[in-house]
Amino acid sequence: MSEKNDSKPQIVNRKAADDLKALGYTQELSRNRGLFHILFTFGLSAPFSTSLVGGGPATIIWGYVVISLVVLCLAISLGEISSRFPTSAGPYYWAHQLAPPKYKILMSWVTGWISLTGNWTIALSVNFGVALFIVAAAGIYHPDWEVVPYQVLLIFWAVTLFTMSVCMFGNTYLPMIDTICAWWTGASIFIILIALSAKAGQGRHSAGFALGHYDGTLSGWPEGFSFFIGLLPPAYTYAAIGMIASMAEEVEEPELQVPRAMVYSVVVALVSGLVFLLPIMFTLPDIPTLLAVPSGQPVPLMFELIMGSPGGGFGLFFLLIGIAVFCAISISTAASRATWAFARDNAIPGSKYWARVHKGLDVPVNALLLSTIIQMLLGLIYLGSTAGFNAFSGVGTICLGVSYVLPVGISLWQGRREISTARYYWGTFGAVANVVAIAWVLFFIVLFCMPAALPVRTNTMNYASVVFAGFMVLSAGWYIIHGRKHYTVIKYPVVRPHAHEPGPGPKHDDGSHRRVT
């Protein structure tokens, strides 16, 4: 019996390797992850101050619900395509396969560099967010500590090196770490719910306040528009949803597990996010007091005021630091896989070196090192301009969003014919989801290029559009020098079913195929 059970994963993995070969790639990484291990953890508290500025409780609760539902449409859209093309190459491979023959290489190159830029900068922002959390936690006991940029930079470098080390030397244990992350997150939310509800050191608010209080005057924007500014944090929270595709070549049955992970991650985040946010809204301290905190991180002070002591505040905030660290590990792992995949297709300078997989560690070590080094070098910008550095969180969200909607838009333009054979196919609702996803991404690109508050000052200027343009210029230059002659997406002929053939989904009793959602 045990031999039969042991053989099942081998059969599934052999089929996944054959499917990957049909897409043009050789299996190089071990498939040691399941659905549970690739569900992403999202952080809700890092950009909390922007939500307070953007209207307060009403924006925080209802904005989060709205964004979750819209992102669910994006997850469904990406899930359909990833089910049809389950490879770590992700968006740039999808763009290549879906685009008309004349534009395949160009669309793939553009999508790939935008996606890679998004992976690097979003990983940078998450690791840096952990560093800022650590600084804010220290501020609970040392409120007079005047932090200087080089201290933050050193903490950021330490965090980045730590996450890199876990990704490099702990790859075998990452599924177990993902399990611990899930339990830690669930327990943390439950503890925070109980602790805040029990203490309520600043008093308790009515349901009308917690669910409906709106003050749009704090941002400087027109009151109605402030609500949209408050949508920036939840939009950033979900920015990495498509990065799950980077793990496709390490997952069993990726044509189902990857799209399911995308959709389930949003559903889980919606529920857990509301459980986290609602007790905060019912016990929220004075908003101007929270916004006046020198570190720009109001959550530690908020917990301290609600709990009535520095120890209570630190204890709850420590739980969030743990969630942030787990998130940083997941993001860093996915970013390294995206780097490795793009190098495998000869798109990055020195691709042969970055595309190597360390057989002993079963990790694309060189790609992980490249991703880490780029983050650490970009961190130096913080020494010269905090505003310039803060643009990278916006750039990461913009780049990932654009890399998502390019293949989705191409697929929709082509009548969704290519993905109609996918096992995770949503039919007519999938087309509706495509339209909603594209409209949302185009809208938030504009939002992320705008300052969160008016009037604009040197330290509040939003340079996201400038940084985005800079990366695109570099990408265009490398395409002229190298890409147009040497960039190759497919190593050998791809085997695919004809448009009229059903996908590889399970069958009905009569032998006909059915799609799995």
Side-chain angles (χ1 to χ4, degrees):
M1 177 65 71
S2 62
E3 290 181 0
K4 183 177 180 180
N5 290 337
D6 291 342
S7 65
K8 185 176 180 180
Q10 296 177 9
I11 295 173
V12 171
N13 290 343
R14 193 179 308 120
K15 178 185 179 301
D18 291 341
D19 290 344
L20 182 63
K21 186 175 182 179
L23 296 178
Y25 298 108
T26 302
Q27 183 72 49
E28 296 185 75
L29 302 175
S30 298
R31 294 187 181 272
N32 61 350
R33 291 172 169 83
L35 171 64
F36 190 74
H37 304 127
I38 57 174
L39 292 174
F40 261 21
T41 301
F42 300 109
L44 289 172
S45 55
F48 196 70
S49 59
T50 305
S51 291
L52 292 175
V53 169
T59 301
I60 292 172
I61 297 298
W62 299 113
Y64 185 67
V65 171
V66 170
I67 297 306
S68 297
L69 296 177
V70 171
V71 173
L72 184 60
C73 291
L74 178 60
I76 290 171
S77 300
L78 297 177
E80 287 185 313
I81 303 177
S82 66
S83 177
R84 179 64 184 84
F85 305 110
T87 167
S88 295
Y92 78 85
Y93 183 92
W94 305 340
H96 181 277
Q97 295 297 87
L98 296 169
K102 183 179 179 180
Y103 302 106
K104 284 184 179 293
I105 293 297
L106 180 60
M107 290 303 301
S108 176
W109 179 273
V110 170
T111 305
W113 271 104
I114 292 176
S115 176
L116 188 62
T117 301
N119 274 264
W120 286 342
T121 51
I122 208 73
L124 164 68
S125 69
V126 172
N127 281 315
F128 202 84
V130 175
L132 293 178
F133 266 30
I134 293 173
V135 171
I140 294 177
Y141 288 103
H142 302 280
D144 297 328
W145 177 30
E146 295 185 6
V147 186
V148 293
Y150 85 87
Q151 294 172 323
V152 179
L153 178 66
L154 291 177
I155 296 173
F156 161 65
W157 280 353
V159 169
T160 305
L161 290 174
F162 171 76
T163 57
M164 181 201 72
S165 299
V166 173
C167 296
M168 183 180 298
F169 301 109
N171 186 59
T172 304
Y173 304 101
L174 284 181
M176 180 184 68
I177 292 174
D178 293 329
T179 303
I180 295 173
C181 168
W183 284 104
W184 179 284
T185 302
S188 298
I189 292 174
F190 181 74
I191 291 171
I192 291 172
L193 168 67
I194 298 300
L196 297 186
S197 301
K199 290 293 291 184
Q202 298 292 299
R204 291 179 171 84
H205 300 293
S206 66
F209 177 91
L211 301 177
H213 176 73
Y214 178 79
D215 181 2
T217 63
L218 298 176
S219 69
W221 289 98
E223 282 200 52
F225 189 77
S226 290
F227 177 82
F228 297 108
I229 295 298
L231 299 182
L232 293 176
Y236 169 77
T237 294
Y238 284 118
I241 187 68
M243 290 176 65
I244 294 174
S246 299
M247 307 304 297
E249 294 177 33
E250 297 171 71
V251 182
E252 298 175 355
E253 219 175 0
E255 71 277 8
L256 281 182
Q257 306 300 14
V258 169
R260 282 174 173 170
M262 292 179 181
V263 172
Y264 294 173
S265 290
V266 178
V267 176
V268 171
L270 172 59
V271 175
S272 61
L274 289 176
V275 175
F276 171 73
L277 292 172
L278 282 171
I280 293 177
M281 296 303 102
F282 276 97
T283 58
L284 188 68
D286 179 60
I287 293 178
T289 301
L290 297 178
L291 294 176
V293 65
S295 67
Q297 295 284 342
V299 177
L301 176 61
M302 178 183 70
F303 282 162
E304 180 181 348
L305 293 174
I306 297 175
M307 296 303 295
S309 69
F314 181 84
L316 295 186
F317 194 60
F318 178 78
L319 298 175
L320 296 187
I321 293 176
I323 295 175
V325 170
F326 284 123
C327 183
I329 293 172
S330 297
I331 291 288
S332 297
T333 302
S336 70
R337 301 314 191 258
T339 306
W340 164 72
F342 208 33
R344 181 175 58 178
D345 284 321
N346 199 25
I348 304 174
S351 286
K352 291 183 179 180
Y353 180 77
W354 309 121
R356 295 175 185 172
V357 175
H358 191 288
K359 299 302 180 183
L361 297 174
D362 194 26
V363 172
V365 170
N366 296 346
L368 177 60
L369 288 172
L370 176 62
S371 177
T372 302
I373 291 171
I374 287 175
Q375 292 177 58
M376 295 178 70
L377 290 177
L378 290 176
L380 291 170
I381 297 175
Y382 190 78
L383 297 177
S385 171
T386 55
F389 182 81
N390 290 338
F392 284 103
S393 61
V395 168
T397 307
I398 291 171
C399 286
L400 290 176
V402 172
S403 73
Y404 300 157
V405 300
L406 282 175
V408 171
I410 295 171
S411 174
L412 187 62
W413 182 262
Q414 300 282 2
R416 293 167 46 85
R417 292 186 299 273
E418 189 63 50
I419 65 169
S420 63
T421 59
R423 293 183 68 181
Y424 200 81
Y425 181 64
W426 283 69
T428 302
F429 184 81
V432 175
N434 291 170
V435 174
V436 173
I438 294 171
W440 161 240
V441 170
L442 294 177
F443 179 65
F444 86 58
I445 288 174
V446 176
L447 285 183
F448 272 93
C449 291
M450 303 176 73
L454 296 178
V456 179
R457 299 182 178 87
T458 304
N459 63 335
T460 61
M461 178 62 185
N462 190 337
Y463 295 99
S465 57
V466 177
V467 176
F468 177 80
F471 275 111
M472 293 307 98
V473 169
L474 293 175
S475 169
W478 184 240
Y479 179 78
I480 294 172
I481 296 172
H482 173 82
R484 59 194 178 95
K485 293 183 179 179
H486 304 287
Y487 176 55
T488 55
V489 180
I490 307 301
K491 300 296 184 297
Y492 38 86
V494 174
V495 179
R496 67 169 76 180
H498 296 293
H500 64 274
E501 293 181 348
K507 296 180 178 180
H508 292 291
D509 293 338
D510 63 1
S512 62
H513 286 264
R514 62 182 173 87
R515 308 260 166 46
V516 177
T517 57

